Amino acid sequence: MIDSADNVTHMLPVTGPLRLNFFTDQPELARLFVADLTQDLLGDWIVTQYWTGKPQARGGGRVTVVNDQDAGFQMIRKIAAKKEKGGYRLV
């Protein structure tokens, strides 16, 4: 990214993404749930959740901006605990 103030190239603040994939193979559920922690081009940390619906149903998604990377990790940990308690397994 080039800073227009001094025309010097600076590294983007983007770090490697964190992605957790959960799946339940119970026939009545058969769902996939994904949680991502990424940083956008402006440096904001974002938790993105998306899922498939039950068979023959629609899925959905949600995007949440968090204060910092640590807040994102905490949110991902809570999501993982809730999904594992609900019968999902980490893939």
Side-chain angles (χ1 to χ4, degrees):
M1 176 167 82
I2 297 180
D3 186 350
S4 60
D6 59 8
N7 292 324
V8 176
T9 302
H10 297 279
M11 293 298 295
L12 290 172
V14 178
T15 61
L18 168 67
R19 172 174 281 178
L20 297 179
N21 295 310
F22 294 92
F23 181 75
T24 180
D25 48 2
Q26 299 170 0
E28 66 276 2
L29 294 178
R31 294 180 178 191
L32 174 68
F33 182 90
V34 179
D36 285 328
L37 174 62
T38 56
Q39 197 173 21
D40 67 9
L41 292 177
L42 300 176
D44 295 325
W45 286 97
I46 298 172
V47 174
T48 306
Q49 303 170 62
Y50 45 98
W51 53 88
T52 62
K54 293 179 182 178
Q56 308 295 325
R58 295 173 39 180
R62 176 182 306 141
V63 176
T64 307
V65 178
V66 293
N67 291 331
D68 55 22
Q69 186 177 21
D70 289 333
F73 282 134
Q74 288 176 5
M75 186 173 185
I76 292 285
R77 274 189 228 116
K78 287 180 184 177
I79 291 168
K82 182 177 180 181
K83 289 299 169 189
E84 287 175 352
K85 187 176 180 180
Y88 286 76
R89 60 183 166 84
L90 189 58
V91 180

